[in-house]
Amino acid sequence: MSFQIQYKPLFRVFVYHGYHLNEGEDEFNTMNNEEKAVQLKDYDYKSFLQIVPTRKTVRFMNGHSMVFNVQKDHFIVGVKVNPNATQEPFIPIDTTSNLTFLLKTKDSYFTNYTNYTIENDRLLYPSNVKPATEDVDFAHIALFTENILINEDHTISPEGTQNIREELEEDEKRALLGCIKLHMQGDTPNLNILENTGELPGSIPQFKIHFDNRKTFWKYLKPSEGFEAETQAAKPLTKNGFIAIDPDTDFVGPPPGADTYRYPNPAVYSIKTIANKTYSEIFI
């Protein structure tokens, strides 16, 4: 008697970032499917983030015939299923169990172009279960279909952060931005990974973490001519596209000669915060 080994996706987590996926002032979330496909063609979240299971999670996954697979815009956890009942994991999974994935930045300029403040005593914590340490403002991980951006409500409290750090090995704590923690049973049925029976649901659970791109005031400088001008409103930093500057409408009191210069978009390397305003400096 023989049977075919079969794996099925247990869940997917998509990882998006507005700096890499927006086109100038056109936001990825507002694009149609064809436009999104163009933006995703050269996108790879691994260029700026590392997401890996903790060693404890790796041991759990190995013991339950699970696999971790990374794609350009998401990662998948798959599970070996019963060949005679393919909605059942081959090795039963306790519905009270969970999986934890480390989030670490790989791009030294990540904080420059990301609208998220990293705090040493508070971890980013996308999860489908609200920890007991958190108040009602805590936000669950978004579903793929939701247009929700990462914000401070996805950050866990100092007490909760300490609890998470105690679960990690020493080297896992270094340069840690946060943890994605997914429980087999979420706080609401739409956040569940497994059914109450321990079976896989009819449709694959799909989650998303979507970072917003930072907006800065753009300050143009030409020291040799004593020229300085800044935008009246903060503008988004994006890797793709171009945002045109109109000196007559974009600048605060356009200085003399403003219409004689060209105004490139800023790089992410030069960011300054002065009096609670964040500036991108562009030398022209």
Side-chain angles (χ1 to χ4, degrees):
M1 181 178 179
S2 64
F3 61 87
Q4 185 176 3
I5 295 175
Q6 184 177 357
Y7 282 79
K8 280 191 171 184
L10 188 61
F11 61 84
R12 293 188 178 97
V13 178
F14 289 81
V15 183
Y16 290 160
H17 199 303
Y19 171 74
H20 295 270
L21 289 173
N22 293 358
E23 180 77 11
E25 293 183 288
D26 296 331
E27 297 183 359
F28 181 75
N29 276 340
T30 66
M31 296 178 184
N32 60 40
N33 289 338
E34 290 183 1
E35 292 168 332
K36 286 182 177 180
V38 171
Q39 298 305 101
L40 287 168
K41 183 179 178 182
D42 297 319
Y43 175 76
D44 191 339
Y45 80 80
K46 297 187 297 300
S47 67
F48 59 91
L49 276 182
Q50 179 189 37
I51 303 177
V52 293
T54 63
R55 291 194 183 92
K56 180 179 178 181
T57 292
V58 169
R59 291 191 291 269
F60 181 89
M61 292 173 63
N62 288 342
H64 289 79
S65 294
M66 295 182 185
V67 292
F68 176 70
N69 183 269
V70 177
Q71 303 294 313
K72 292 175 67 176
D73 66 340
H74 68 281
F75 67 86
I76 309 169
V77 171
V79 63
K80 184 179 177 182
V81 294
N82 187 332
N84 299 314
T86 57
Q87 293 306 107
E88 296 179 3
F90 187 75
I91 299 173
I93 303 170
D94 189 330
T95 56
T96 64
S97 58
N98 59 73
L99 305 174
T100 303
F101 303 86
L102 304 173
L103 270 168
K104 297 191 177 188
T105 58
K106 295 172 64 177
D107 185 347
S108 58
Y109 296 105
F110 179 82
T111 55
N112 281 13
Y113 60 74
T114 303
N115 187 26
Y116 178 77
T117 302
I118 296 175
E119 301 179 48
N120 291 332
D121 63 343
R122 293 169 65 90
L123 289 175
L124 177 61
Y125 191 77
S127 178
N128 59 347
V129 169
K130 179 175 78 69
T133 55
E134 306 311 300
D135 59 27
V136 294
D137 291 331
F138 177 82
H140 291 97
I141 188 171
L143 298 172
F144 178 71
T145 54
E146 296 178 312
N147 291 332
I148 296 175
L149 300 170
I150 288 293
N151 59 67
E152 62 181 10
D153 291 338
H154 296 101
T155 304
I156 199 170
S157 65
E159 181 184 356
T161 292
Q162 182 60 31
N163 291 343
I164 293 300
R165 288 186 179 277
E166 289 174 358
E167 298 177 8
L168 304 178
E169 298 184 18
E170 283 304 312
D171 64 316
E172 293 178 325
K173 302 175 187 178
R174 299 190 195 114
L176 188 63
L177 172 65
C179 289
I180 302 171
K181 191 162 191 174
L182 295 174
H183 299 250
M184 296 302 121
Q185 293 273 283
D187 281 338
T188 55
N190 63 335
L191 294 171
N192 288 350
I193 291 174
L194 290 178
E195 303 283 8
N196 295 334
T197 59
E199 294 181 320
L200 277 64
S203 58
I204 302 164
Q206 298 194 113
F207 306 100
K208 179 174 63 177
I209 57 174
H210 191 159
F211 290 94
D212 193 14
N213 53 321
R214 183 188 293 277
K215 292 182 178 180
T216 62
F217 291 88
W218 295 3
K219 182 176 288 189
Y220 292 89
L221 303 161
K222 193 172 182 65
S224 63
E225 298 182 14
F227 180 84
E228 180 176 316
E230 71 174 65
T231 56
Q232 299 190 60
K235 294 185 175 293
L237 300 177
T238 59
K239 184 178 180 179
N240 305 300
F242 182 78
I243 299 173
I245 295 295
D246 182 342
D248 293 329
T249 59
D250 284 317
F251 288 153
V252 179
D259 58 350
T260 64
Y261 298 105
R262 293 183 178 180
Y263 299 99
N265 289 185
V268 296
Y269 314 121
S270 181
I271 302 286
K272 289 186 177 180
T273 300
I274 303 172
N276 295 323
K277 287 178 71 175
T278 302
Y279 293 89
S280 290
E281 291 187 335
I282 310 104
F283 290 87
I284 57 176

